[in-house]
């Protein structure tokens, strides 16, 4: 995820996935549903009727993973080598690129699990989907910690804040495996996905394309302190987004009830 695009595209994917979960949460709360994922209705007859009943979130996860893999391979001109042999020594090459590809493939497999569970199995297996999601987050967390080994200053501070959000998100999705129908878990998961995605995009702008046009200084304590303040603003922004989505869902639900 090096470079501006390497932070923007994964961050945008996580943020949109957070919006998806925020929408599920708002629908469940508004409709007073005891579960977040509704059971799949029986397939209707007809090709187009079945297409309208399909769940597309898994296909979108697969598509986004493929785009991220292509973007990563394009950054190294499609010359991906695991081990190089020079002067009777074997050296690991492109370690960060291999870490990124490992992460993207875990999201790809999670999307495949979603597609199979939601559209192919006779009965939707939510536990299987949540397990694949938890596995992806358990891979993302140590990979991001490994990325902090050779960075310092502003980059270290921004990624340390990202790791904090990822740790909480990983903890939440793990707890969800044992408590899948707890409202607080739904809220925390959607909220932390939004925070992680928005902050990852912000890291790309801060490190590679600062809005002010001036590079953030690693030796300036004010710049490093402001990064923490900016992260807090992202937390507040994510909370506002969730409140806005819930408000819109409530108004729309009331309109449908009155109109009916």
């Amino acid at each position: 995820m090096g470079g501006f695009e390497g932070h923007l595209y994964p961050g945008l994917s996580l943020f949109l996935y957070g919006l998806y979960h925020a929408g599920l949460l708002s629908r469940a709360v508004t409709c007073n549903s005891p579960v977040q994922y509704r059971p799949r209705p029986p397939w209707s007859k007809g090709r187009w009727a079945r297409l309208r009943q399909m769940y597309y979130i898994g296909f979108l996860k697969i598509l986004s993973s493929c785009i991220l893999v292509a973007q990563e391979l394009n950054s190294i001109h499609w010359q991906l080598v695991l081990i190089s042999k020079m002067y009777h020594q074997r050296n690991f090459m492109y370690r960060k690129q291999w870490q990124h590809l490992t992460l993207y493939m875990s999201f790809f497999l999670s999307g495949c699990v979603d597609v199979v569970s939601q559209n192919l199995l006779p009965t939707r297996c939510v536990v299987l989907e949540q397990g694949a999601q938890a596995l992806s987050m358990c891979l993302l967390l140590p990979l991001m910690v490994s990325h902090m080994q050779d960075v310092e200053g502003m980059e270290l501070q921004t990624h340390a804040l990202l790791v904090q959000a990822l740790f909480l998100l990983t903890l939440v999705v793990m707890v969800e495996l044992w408590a899948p129908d707890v409202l607080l878990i739904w809220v925390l998961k959607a909220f932390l996905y939004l925070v992680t995605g928005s902050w990852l995009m912000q890291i790309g702008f801060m490190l590679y394309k600062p809005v002010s046009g001036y590079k953030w200084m690693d030796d300036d304590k004010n710049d490093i302190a402001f990064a923490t303040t900016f992260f807090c603003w992202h937390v507040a922004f994510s909370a506002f987004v969730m409140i806005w989505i819930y408000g819109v869902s409530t108004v729309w639900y009331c309109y449908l009830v009155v109109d009916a």
Side-chain angles (χ1 to χ4, degrees):
M1 290 183 290
F4 175 72
E5 292 80 6
H7 288 82
L8 177 64
Y9 298 149
L12 181 60
S13 300
L14 291 174
F15 185 80
L16 293 177
Y17 195 54
L19 290 179
Y20 165 74
H21 280 288
L24 290 179
L25 168 67
S26 299
R27 186 192 63 185
V29 174
T30 304
C31 300
N32 196 21
S33 175
V35 293
Q36 186 179 18
Y37 302 95
R38 294 181 178 180
R40 187 184 63 199
W43 290 117
S44 301
K45 294 182 178 180
R47 181 183 304 176
W48 301 112
R50 183 163 183 172
L51 286 176
R52 287 193 297 267
Q53 289 182 277
M54 292 183 66
Y55 292 87
Y56 294 99
I57 185 63
F59 293 105
L60 293 177
K61 290 170 71 173
I62 293 175
L63 177 61
S64 62
S65 299
C66 293
I67 293 175
L68 292 173
V69 169
Q71 185 269 333
E72 191 70 38
L73 294 177
N74 184 65
S75 66
I76 56 174
H77 308 290
W78 300 83
Q79 297 179 357
L80 189 60
V81 180
L82 178 60
I83 299 177
S84 67
K85 185 177 180 181
M86 299 178 61
Y87 305 107
H88 304 287
Q89 294 182 353
R90 291 179 174 85
N91 300 320
F92 284 100
M93 304 291 292
Y94 305 114
R95 59 181 182 87
K96 287 192 175 182
Q97 283 75 15
W98 278 108
Q99 290 178 344
H100 299 161
L101 292 176
T102 302
L103 171 62
Y104 299 154
M105 291 307 299
S106 69
F107 286 133
F108 176 84
L109 293 177
S110 177
C112 293
V113 170
D114 289 349
V115 171
V116 172
S117 174
Q118 297 169 5
N119 302 304
L120 299 180
L121 294 181
T123 304
R124 182 175 180 178
C125 185
V126 176
V127 177
L128 184 63
E129 300 174 31
Q130 294 173 342
Q133 179 184 204
L135 176 62
S136 299
M137 299 311 303
C138 289
L139 292 177
L140 175 57
L141 181 60
L143 289 176
M144 292 308 304
V145 173
S146 176
H147 271 44
M148 298 170 56
Q149 294 179 354
D150 55 352
V151 298
E152 59 182 3
M154 179 60 66
E155 188 174 359
L156 177 61
Q157 180 69 10
T158 54
H159 283 78
L161 294 170
L162 177 64
V163 167
Q164 292 180 27
L166 285 174
F167 172 76
L168 294 176
L169 178 56
T170 304
L171 183 62
V172 167
V173 296
M174 291 295 294
V175 173
E176 189 183 24
L177 294 176
W178 285 270
D181 299 328
V182 178
L183 178 62
L184 180 60
I185 298 298
W186 304 348
V187 174
L188 290 176
K189 181 175 67 173
F191 173 71
L192 290 172
Y193 265 119
L194 292 174
V195 172
T196 303
S198 64
W199 184 244
L200 186 57
M201 289 188 288
Q202 184 62 49
I203 291 177
F205 281 100
M206 294 179 69
L207 298 181
Y208 303 99
K209 291 188 177 181
V211 178
S212 63
Y214 296 94
K215 182 179 178 181
W216 293 73
M217 304 304 295
D218 292 337
D219 56 352
D220 191 337
K221 295 182 179 179
N222 291 328
D223 283 3
I224 296 179
F226 188 78
T228 305
T229 304
F230 215 33
F231 176 77
C232 295
W233 292 356
H234 276 263
V235 173
F237 169 75
S238 300
F240 173 78
V241 169
M242 291 194 62
I243 295 173
W244 180 80
I245 292 175
Y246 174 71
V248 171
S249 300
T250 303
V251 172
W252 180 250
Y253 178 76
C254 294
Y255 172 77
L256 292 179
V257 171
V258 173
D259 187 64

